[in-house]
Amino acid sequence: MGTGPPVEHTRETSIRDNVKSVLESLPGNVELVAAAKTRSPKEILAAVKAGVTAIGENYVREAEEAFAVIGHNAVWHFIGHLQRNKVKKAVRIFDMIETIDCLSLAEEVDKSSRDTGRVMPVLVEINSGREEQKYGVFPEKAGDLIRKIAMLPNIKVRGLMTMGPFSGDPENARPYFRETRKIFNEIAGQDISGLEMSCLSMGMSNSYRVAIEEGATMVRIGTGIFGERD
Ligand SMILES: *Cc1c(COP(=O)(O)O)cnc(C)c1O
């Protein structure tokens, strides 16, 4: 150990600097969601103090821990794969679920939202790479699914989310972002009642600049804020 500041202090300082520079790099119409998986409530709190207003969580249990510390000082987005047996808890914490990809999950969220006396904003996750092992609805099936979800009274579809295939070079993600934007525009143009197509969530630390060029209105950034995951 040297004589510098304690490790924890250094980490909070770098989170703060990262948040500032990410926020400065975003156009005014693009919303930042800090992807917080594996981060401690303390780290997440440091990001909130530095200006993060939305937190993305992949696991309900991690979210409960962080929520106990941060509460409504930020809004909470669910960005992982939502298991049926976690829906009830998820509906209590989250302000948006970004990963609806089939009707049965939507129905489950609708039912729990009704029981809680609320309407849950959701995004429909598009499997833009058409990868069998990944979650999300295939592009050609998105329209049908969304028309059905739009009829559920306690869910409000607010837009789309996509991951795209993992790749080192962000340019490789561009066609998938572009296709998701195209679906977004098509669905928004259909004037389906109950829909409010305003969010397009795509792009992560390495790809968010490309995603914004392709029309993202929401980016989910983890390592670019908190550093590499252990
Ligand atoms: C982890 C994660 C991110 C952020 O990834 P980084 O490369 O750490 O920026 C974004 N979206 C989802 C769904 C994630 O699970």
Side-chain angles (χ1 to χ4, degrees):
M1 292 297 263
T3 52
V7 172
E8 203 158 89
H9 176 80
T10 316
R11 177 169 293 191
E12 285 178 17
T13 307
S14 79
I15 290 172
R16 193 184 61 208
D17 293 347
N18 291 341
V19 168
K20 296 230 149 75
S21 71
V22 169
L23 284 173
E24 274 166 21
S25 74
L26 297 181
N29 63 324
V30 175
E31 198 182 328
L32 170 65
V33 175
K37 59 178 173 278
T38 78
R39 314 301 180 171
S40 70
K42 249 192 164 149
E43 290 172 285
I44 302 169
L45 184 60
V48 170
K49 282 186 179 155
V52 160
T53 58
I55 299 161
E57 289 279 7
N58 295 59
Y59 305 104
V60 172
R61 197 196 303 201
E62 274 186 20
E64 285 176 327
E65 278 175 29
F67 186 80
V69 175
I70 294 157
H72 296 291
N73 289 309
V75 297
W76 299 81
H77 287 211
F78 189 78
I79 63 173
H81 173 63
L82 185 54
Q83 293 171 313
R84 301 293 189 277
N85 63 357
K86 296 285 164 57
V87 168
K88 257 198 194 113
K89 282 184 173 173
V91 161
R92 272 186 236 136
I93 293 178
F94 290 98
D95 301 287
M96 176 181 269
I97 295 173
E98 296 201 20
T99 50
I100 297 292
D101 64 356
C102 67
L103 186 59
S104 63
L105 178 60
E107 287 171 340
E108 202 70 41
V109 171
D110 180 65
K111 189 164 137 278
S112 289
S113 300
R114 188 197 60 208
D115 293 346
T116 319
R118 62 180 304 190
V119 174
M120 178 62 73
V122 304
L123 304 182
V124 169
E125 181 177 0
I126 306 294
N127 184 345
S128 54
R130 295 184 174 76
E131 298 169 283
E132 290 294 348
Q133 75 281 15
K134 293 243 179 106
Y135 297 110
V137 60
F138 277 25
E140 57 276 15
K141 301 219 163 108
D144 260 3
L145 176 62
I146 289 171
R147 273 184 290 276
K148 287 179 183 141
I149 296 176
M151 291 192 281
L152 300 172
N154 289 81
I155 278 192
K156 188 161 192 81
V157 177
R158 295 281 313 278
L160 306 180
M161 178 271 211
T162 199
M163 297 275 286
F166 178 79
S167 138
D169 182 355
E171 274 305 319
N172 294 340
R174 189 182 293 279
Y176 304 103
F177 294 152
R178 188 167 291 179
E179 173 157 23
T180 306
R181 176 76 207 189
K182 193 168 146 250
I183 302 165
F184 181 92
N185 289 346
E186 279 166 13
I187 291 168
Q190 288 173 10
D191 200 26
I192 302 166
S193 102
L195 240 61
E196 186 192 315
M197 296 292 281
S198 54
C199 298
L200 183 53
S201 173
M202 48 188 201
M204 319 201 300
S205 297
N206 76 329
S207 60
Y208 77 90
R209 289 180 181 82
V210 171
I212 290 168
E213 285 167 13
E214 297 301 332
T217 67
M218 195 179 271
V219 293
R220 308 177 308 271
I221 298 181
T223 52
I225 289 174
F226 299 106
E228 291 298 327
R229 279 179 290 274
D230 298 327

